Amino acid sequence: MTPSIPDADSNLPDSADGLRDMILARYDGMTKVLQQVGRYVLDHPEDMALLTLNELAERSGTQPSAIVRFAKALGFTGAGPMQRLLRDSLIAQNSALGYSERVHQFGAAVEDSVSAGGIGALIDEFAEGDILALQNTRAMVGREGLASAVALIAAARVVHLVGMRRAFPVAAYLAYAVPQAGKPTMLVDGVGGLAAQQLRAIGPDDVMIAISYHSYAPETVSAVEAACAAAAKVLAISDSLLSPIAKRATQTLLVRESEVRGFRSLSSSLCLAQALVVGLAYDQQRHVAAGGGAPAGDAS
Amino acid sequence: MTPSIPDADSNLPDSADGLRDMILARYDGMTKVLQQVGRYVLDHPEDMALLTLNELAERSGTQPSAIVRFAKALGFTGAGPMQRLLRDSLIAQNSALGYSERVHQFGAAVEDSVSAGGIGALIDEFAEGDILALQNTRAMVGREGLASAVALIAAARVVHLVGMRRAFPVAAYLAYAVPQAGKPTMLVDGVGGLAAQQLRAIGPDDVMIAISYHSYAPETVSAVEAACAAAAKVLAISDSLLSPIAKRATQTLLVRESEVRGFRSLSSSLCLAQALVVGLAYDQQRHVAAGGGAPAGDAS
DNA sequence: TTCATGGTGGAATGAAATTTTCATATTGAC
DNA sequence: GTCAATATGAAAATTTCATTCCACCATGAA
């Protein structure tokens, strides 16, 4: 039974923005599941506008009835009216442009001058460049490349990670994610001048993942040399087969990063790193327990 | 009676663009009513994506059954699949995860889908997901968002960076790149338990760039609180307006990372970070020397 | 610990929308 | 001009979806 809508403000929002503000205002007073629904509405308004309640419930990890309750808690008569509000806003946004223009909205050529579009136009350039780079990387790495790299890592006792300067974020990501896949991991970061000690821990059953781009950091090169000296395997992530780390590597994964205005990106390397880790997680799982089920997701 | 789909090309289009081309190609061979439907699909794709067949029939001056026949003539099994195609394109333009439920399988039958394409197929999934996420980020951040964020950083005396766990690679990249743009930078990394000391250095003319994703690391939240207490500006890079750091931030840049098999990516955040840094470099350069020319590129 | 209150998940129900079917109309050929 | 074949429109039938209802669980107080 609806309690005759005792809500303080019986006036509904009349726009998606108004709805967003209303959710933000009431969020703290909501129950756990209702908050979950609210978060999904704020984070994925397009989904909430267009999908069915069953799909939404699945994606947001709730129940259809919870979505209906959420809408009613906000004063709507049901989930339908709330969806209609979001959908109308979405249509209004998109029908401003003609169909053909909107379709090519993202493929449109980018002005090559910063002063033309202002500094803000840089986001278009970098996004577009990264998209092209990702397509390229996907083709260059290939399924076999990824699969054999995963096998290489899976067979190792310990994973050692090296990446300096611009490559460091990639190494840092792997240092965060690889242990989650259940593989012992050491990041050779050289903090406290302990790089030599860290390299001494490399054994013959280990693998070193070395990430380096032109021009190749000498610390990374010498770390690879140390790994080779210890008879460890080396997986190189680099931008050239001629790079000093690729030459000594057991396997090399080539990534082509976009270069916009002289700045090279990292998106492709991160994407590849993530594919490696998830592949490793599936592989580990398959060997540990024959049963199915997804490997644990991540959190931050 | 379906004539067992005698259409020459039984392969369906996989995008709104492809559908549009297919309609144009077959238009001349269609009957009057089917042409009428086709014209409506081309002229009002968002209606066709969202409205019910009854409404569409009324608006286009046809019948619901005519729309079903039209879809079948194109090779679809019914009007539903055709609408779904258009709807997904609509979502893809506005959000990252527009592309079918295959991406969103949490615990469902993961084992066999991996073994179907092999672990190597993950590279395709992640690359594709990241591309969609980048398109979305580009649209969500927008030129104004980037421009005002750059202005916020440019006005600061010192930039403080916070990002833990999964967000750390982004902070690490900024710690590498922001100083190259000539802006004093401190990374709050908490190495050696010195986080408190690092936070004490924040002044009222500074800006803190805080990166955090669900679920939000408490260290990051308290760092933001410390920045607020010091009357510093806060630029949040996060995945939700409800995140504890977004609520306290001077400005929030929303990024929606792709989520494939429960693992969220970082490509969009890295792309955004790079756009921020290059924008900052141009801005700094413009104020230091009026002359044009690109800022120095990077190297590793 | 026990009870009471309110929240939550899942199944049943009723409504709405899509698809099929069939009768009628229209077009083209002989 | 008539017949055959196909297209069209209307309505029935089926499927899908939103909502409601009920039983169970969690939380907090006595």
Side-chain angles (χ1 to χ4, degrees):
Chain A
M1 167 176 54
T2 22
S4 71
I5 310 176
D7 299 310
D9 42 347
S10 58
N11 41 3
L12 296 166
D14 56 351
S15 71
D17 277 342
L19 177 62
R20 208 197 80 217
D21 293 342
M22 180 182 250
I23 296 173
L24 283 170
R26 298 229 198 142
Y27 185 79
D28 290 326
M30 287 178 171
T31 67
K32 206 176 52 180
V33 174
L34 255 36
Q35 285 185 340
Q36 205 173 336
V37 176
R39 206 172 329 133
Y40 197 85
V41 178
L42 291 176
D43 294 347
H44 308 271
E46 303 81 21
D47 285 5
M48 186 57 63
L50 301 177
L51 302 178
T52 67
L53 290 190
N54 273 315
E55 270 181 288
L56 288 169
E58 199 177 337
R59 296 195 184 189
S60 63
T62 59
Q63 295 284 329
S65 47
I67 301 173
V68 174
R69 284 192 202 105
F70 176 84
K72 289 197 173 178
L74 260 51
F76 293 96
T77 59
M82 186 177 74
Q83 285 189 301
R84 207 163 307 139
L85 181 67
L86 288 165
R87 211 178 45 191
D88 290 348
S89 300
L90 189 63
I91 294 178
Q93 254 184 332
N94 283 316
S95 37
L97 295 156
Y99 177 58
S100 51
E101 300 169 47
R102 192 179 59 250
V103 165
H104 297 109
Q105 191 176 347
F106 291 111
V110 186
E111 278 95 303
D112 55 354
S113 164
V114 166
S115 46
I119 280 181
L122 286 169
I123 187 70
D124 295 328
E125 291 187 39
F126 281 102
E128 190 129 345
D130 281 0
I131 287 170
L132 290 172
L134 277 168
Q135 289 170 339
N136 200 329
T137 296
R138 172 167 136 180
M140 279 210 303
V141 171
R143 299 187 171 189
E144 318 76 36
L146 181 69
S148 65
V150 167
L152 188 64
I153 302 171
R157 184 190 61 134
V158 178
V159 175
H160 301 266
L161 297 168
V162 194
M164 302 291 169
R165 306 224 240 160
R166 197 166 64 88
F168 178 67
V170 183
Y173 173 74
L174 288 170
Y176 159 78
V178 172
Q180 290 193 344
K183 181 66 71 176
T185 308
M186 285 189 65
L187 175 64
V188 183
D189 53 6
V191 164
L194 295 173
Q197 277 72 20
Q198 291 174 328
L199 291 175
R200 211 162 288 150
I202 302 175
D205 297 330
D206 297 353
V207 68
M208 167 175 282
I209 306 181
I211 308 110
S212 186
Y213 311 102
H214 181 81
S215 54
Y216 312 97
E219 303 98 312
T220 307
V221 177
S222 50
V224 169
E225 284 166 354
C228 289
K233 298 278 193 298
V234 174
L235 175 65
I237 298 179
S238 190
D239 54 0
S240 169
L241 287 173
L242 294 173
S243 72
I245 65 163
K247 271 194 268 191
R248 300 163 199 275
T250 313
Q251 185 186 352
T252 300
L253 292 173
L254 271 186
V255 287
R256 181 125 185 91
E257 293 290 357
S258 69
E259 181 168 343
V260 178
R261 298 179 180 275
F263 284 79
R264 258 162 295 132
S265 171
L266 281 174
S267 291
S268 289
S269 298
L270 260 296
C271 179
L272 174 60
Q274 193 174 20
L276 275 177
V277 169
V278 176
L280 179 65
Y282 277 107
D283 189 276
Q284 295 283 96
Q285 181 186 254
R286 187 187 300 168
H287 285 74
V288 169
D298 56 351
S300 76
Chain B
M1 169 178 53
T2 17
S4 71
I5 310 176
D7 299 311
D9 42 349
S10 58
N11 42 2
L12 295 166
D14 59 349
S15 70
D17 264 344
L19 177 63
R20 195 181 123 258
D21 293 342
M22 180 182 253
I23 295 173
L24 285 171
R26 298 230 200 139
Y27 187 80
D28 290 330
M30 286 179 173
T31 68
K32 204 177 56 179
V33 174
L34 255 38
Q35 284 186 340
Q36 204 174 337
V37 175
R39 206 171 328 131
Y40 196 85
V41 177
L42 292 177
D43 293 347
H44 309 277
E46 57 283 334
D47 283 6
M48 187 58 60
L50 301 176
L51 303 178
T52 68
L53 292 190
N54 273 316
E55 272 180 287
L56 287 169
E58 198 176 338
R59 294 196 186 190
S60 63
T62 58
Q63 294 287 327
S65 48
I67 300 171
V68 174
R69 285 193 200 104
F70 175 83
K72 289 197 172 178
L74 260 51
F76 293 96
T77 60
M82 185 178 74
Q83 285 189 300
R84 205 163 307 141
L85 179 69
L86 289 164
R87 199 192 56 187
D88 285 350
S89 294
L90 194 60
I91 296 180
Q93 285 171 5
N94 296 283
S95 106
L97 304 173
Y99 101 113
S100 62
E101 40 274 5
R102 180 165 52 90
V103 181
H104 251 280
Q105 44 186 331
F106 273 65
V110 215
E111 168 99 341
D112 55 2
S113 53
V114 166
S115 51
I119 281 181
L122 287 170
I123 187 71
D124 296 327
E125 290 188 38
F126 280 102
E128 196 150 339
D130 281 0
I131 286 170
L132 287 169
L134 277 168
Q135 290 175 339
N136 186 47
T137 296
R138 170 175 163 180
M140 276 210 307
V141 170
R143 299 186 170 189
E144 319 75 37
L146 181 69
S148 63
V150 167
L152 189 63
I153 302 171
R157 184 189 61 132
V158 178
V159 174
H160 301 265
L161 298 168
V162 194
M164 303 291 169
R165 307 224 238 162
R166 198 166 65 86
F168 178 67
V170 183
Y173 173 74
L174 288 170
Y176 160 77
V178 172
Q180 290 192 344
K183 180 68 71 177
T185 308
M186 286 188 67
L187 176 64
V188 182
D189 54 7
V191 164
L194 295 173
Q197 278 71 21
Q198 291 173 329
L199 291 175
R200 212 163 287 149
I202 302 173
D205 297 331
D206 298 352
V207 68
M208 167 176 283
I209 307 181
I211 308 111
S212 186
Y213 311 102
H214 184 80
S215 54
Y216 313 97
E219 304 96 315
T220 306
V221 177
S222 49
V224 168
E225 284 167 353
C228 289
K233 298 279 192 298
V234 174
L235 176 65
I237 297 178
S238 190
D239 56 358
S240 172
L241 288 172
L242 286 172
S243 72
I245 65 164
K247 274 197 241 184
R248 299 164 199 275
T250 314
Q251 184 186 350
T252 300
L253 292 173
L254 270 187
V255 288
R256 189 170 311 161
E257 294 289 356
S258 70
E259 181 170 340
V260 178
R261 297 178 181 279
F263 286 78
R264 261 161 292 134
S265 170
L266 281 173
S267 291
S268 289
S269 298
L270 259 297
C271 178
L272 175 60
Q274 193 174 19
L276 275 176
V277 169
V278 177
L280 179 65
Y282 275 103
D283 190 277
Q284 296 283 96
Q285 181 186 256
R286 187 188 300 170
H287 285 71
V288 169
D298 56 352
S300 75

